[in-house]
Amino acid sequence: MKLAFNLSTTALSLCAVCCCNVLLTQAQTPLILLAGQSNMVGSPNEAGERYEQDVLARTNTIQPGLTFDNLLPLLVSPAMQQTNITTEFRRELVDLLTRILGYVHNGTDVVPEHQVDLLIELGQRFPTLYTSLADPLGNVYCSDVTPPIAVQEFMSAVPLSPNSGCGNPYGPELVLGHTLGFLPDGKESGSDLSFIMPKVSRGGTQIRGNWSKAEGDLWSTLQSRIAHIDSVSTQCQTGSGCSWDAFVWFQGENDSMDQPNAENYEGDLITFLADVRAELFAAGTRYAAPEEIPVVIVQIGSFFRAREFGTVVARAQASVAASDAFASIVWTDDLGTFYHYDASSQLIIGDRVARALEGLWKDTIVMPPLDRSWFGSCQQNGQKCHTNAACCGGKCAYSRCGT
């Protein structure tokens, strides 16, 4: 049975439906541990067609992709605040993603249109989200470390913002922190609720060779970050302290390019999660047992699913989440098609992680199922495509059907 999670300024209570297995008197600050490789670091400004081609060709020519600064003016425009988003504004957003990310917009590639729909839905669900993204968030904090690093060099938590040093310039934590901060009794209702997201991340890593307790060169840094809970923030040194309340894992890309790593990934991930949970439990958590600590696994996306062993890793991630009563999977294969997720994709992923965490905490998965209708072919006889799409030449398309 997953635990019910109620955010409050006086106490954070987690009880099973049938019985309580934690101390309700503890008003500890929640900590959400984030770890993984370059997409957890962030790197959204490096997502784009030319960048991806150059990276794979091992050249040094990099053309920046869609940046937060490109995207934000449209997200905060009055047109985004309307109850009914106009076709013209939707088309403007689609054109921005298409032009900067280098998609060939010929009626067959609908990734930009799909992401625009998701961005609009996110903005409608949280009306103040986009206007608050650029400024530090007063009740949510983050810290980042790129291993290896000494304990005394751990960065203390700072208010969450795109340029707070918690990513490059941000990863999924940006919208994750905002949308969790919008939960009942959170920021929008004026409370002083706080939570902190420490991150340990490094690009180009493999789960066994880099992260595992048995062999990984990054394990000691991850372990130290967990154990030295008082170094995260002064909030963890005063009052009732802090509690490790969840773990978010965003990795698997490099294991998709190696057959032994891919085939061993499921077992390696199970072992790794057990080791991380044991460390979190020992360091301090409100949960009654290590295996009850919620885990969110961000599944690899379409770029790495297309690698030779990508589907093996993706299936392993899904299998581990399905077999774990306190874990959830976040899908990303409907988002950007590049090595790194673009700026808009990172915003969407952050929201999906927040939904997954909220579902685990409340013992109900609130994330809607992925609409895959736009992935495949469609019929001209009116078969429904994704929201606002039309069937064009056997494919679902949006604003430029037939061009």
Side-chain angles (χ1 to χ4, degrees):
M1 180 73 68
K2 294 181 176 126
L3 301 179
F5 190 82
N6 178 43
L7 294 172
S8 161
T9 59
T10 58
L12 288 164
S13 62
L14 292 100
C15 288
V17 173
C18 61
C19 55
C20 186
N21 59 3
V22 293
L23 294 176
L24 298 182
T25 57
Q26 293 179 344
Q28 296 167 306
T29 300
L31 301 178
I32 302 171
L33 178 63
L34 312 178
Q37 56 183 103
S38 58
N39 281 310
M40 176 58 92
V41 175
S43 311
N45 298 353
E46 299 171 357
E49 187 175 48
R50 182 175 299 176
Y51 176 84
E52 301 301 341
Q53 292 173 350
D54 291 339
V55 166
L56 296 179
R58 297 289 193 267
T59 68
N60 296 318
T61 304
I62 296 177
Q63 172 179 302
L66 177 68
T67 69
F68 184 72
D69 292 337
N70 297 140
L71 191 61
L72 190 61
L74 283 177
L75 295 182
V76 301
S77 70
M80 178 62 90
Q81 307 302 317
Q82 302 301 313
T83 303
N84 297 314
I85 305 297
T86 65
T87 301
E88 290 73 20
F89 178 71
R90 186 185 301 273
R91 199 168 288 168
E92 191 174 355
L93 264 173
V94 169
D95 286 347
L96 175 67
L97 268 66
T98 302
R99 182 177 70 255
I100 296 181
L101 292 177
Y103 285 105
V104 178
H105 199 150
N106 58 7
T108 61
D109 190 344
V110 297
V111 171
E113 292 94 332
H114 176 64
Q115 291 183 195
V116 165
D117 276 347
L118 295 172
L119 289 172
I120 290 173
E121 186 272 336
L122 181 56
Q124 297 282 300
R125 190 153 38 88
F126 297 108
T128 65
L129 172 63
Y130 294 136
T131 55
S132 67
L133 278 182
D135 300 320
L137 191 60
N139 66 317
V140 180
Y141 302 83
C142 65
S143 67
D144 189 25
V145 57
T146 300
I149 193 168
V151 173
Q152 62 269 22
E153 296 176 301
F154 281 142
M155 172 182 163
S156 296
V158 296
L160 179 66
S161 75
N163 299 300
S164 56
C166 297
N168 180 29
Y170 67 90
E173 77 283 342
L174 183 61
V175 167
L176 164 62
H178 276 77
T179 54
L180 284 183
F182 289 160
L183 289 174
D185 295 325
K187 178 174 177 289
E188 283 198 325
S189 64
S191 80
D192 58 358
L193 167 72
S194 294
F195 62 91
I196 305 171
M197 297 179 291
K199 182 196 288 188
V200 181
S201 57
R202 192 175 81 185
T205 54
Q206 298 173 340
I207 190 169
R208 179 178 292 189
N210 298 111
W211 292 100
S212 72
K213 181 177 180 179
E215 302 178 27
D217 59 306
L218 307 183
W219 173 259
S220 61
T221 302
L222 183 63
Q223 182 185 42
S224 294
R225 172 81 286 187
I226 295 170
H228 291 81
I229 195 170
D230 58 345
S231 70
V232 174
S233 169
T234 55
Q235 293 172 268
C236 301
Q237 302 167 8
T238 59
S240 300
C242 294
S243 166
W244 288 112
D245 279 3
F247 176 50
V248 181
W249 178 239
F250 197 168
Q251 187 274 341
E253 291 90 344
N254 274 64
D255 291 296
S256 301
M257 297 181 284
D258 178 271
Q259 184 173 4
N261 284 358
E263 291 176 348
N264 292 324
Y265 194 87
E266 183 168 351
D268 289 341
L269 182 57
I270 291 172
T271 300
F272 174 69
L273 293 181
D275 290 337
V276 170
R277 278 168 159 160
E279 295 293 331
L280 296 174
F281 187 77
T285 179
R286 65 186 82 252
Y287 292 91
E291 62 271 15
E292 293 181 358
I293 299 174
V295 167
V296 174
I297 302 166
V298 183
Q299 198 175 37
I300 59 171
S302 59
F303 183 94
F304 281 96
R305 283 172 182 256
R307 303 307 99 189
E308 189 172 2
F309 308 106
T311 56
V312 177
V313 171
R315 288 170 184 165
Q317 292 171 324
S319 176
V320 171
S323 62
D324 189 324
F326 298 92
S328 183
I329 193 82
V330 166
W331 26 260
T332 65
D333 58 322
D334 62 321
L335 301 177
T337 59
F338 304 114
Y339 187 98
H340 290 126
Y341 293 95
D342 61 84
S344 61
S345 294
Q346 283 284 12
L347 300 182
I348 295 163
I349 291 169
D351 175 61
R352 288 178 177 177
V353 173
R355 292 199 202 190
L357 281 175
E358 185 182 4
L360 289 168
W361 284 334
K362 291 184 175 180
D363 196 25
T364 175
I365 300 301
V366 297
M367 191 160 38
L370 173 59
D371 179 359
R372 298 180 181 273
S373 62
W374 65 280
F375 275 84
S377 60
C378 58
Q379 304 293 326
Q380 293 291 355
N381 62 7
Q383 178 180 333
K384 182 176 175 61
C385 292
H386 188 73
T387 307
N388 301 309
C391 189
C392 305
K395 292 287 184 180
C396 296
Y398 290 68
S399 56
R400 296 190 177 185
C401 184
T403 62

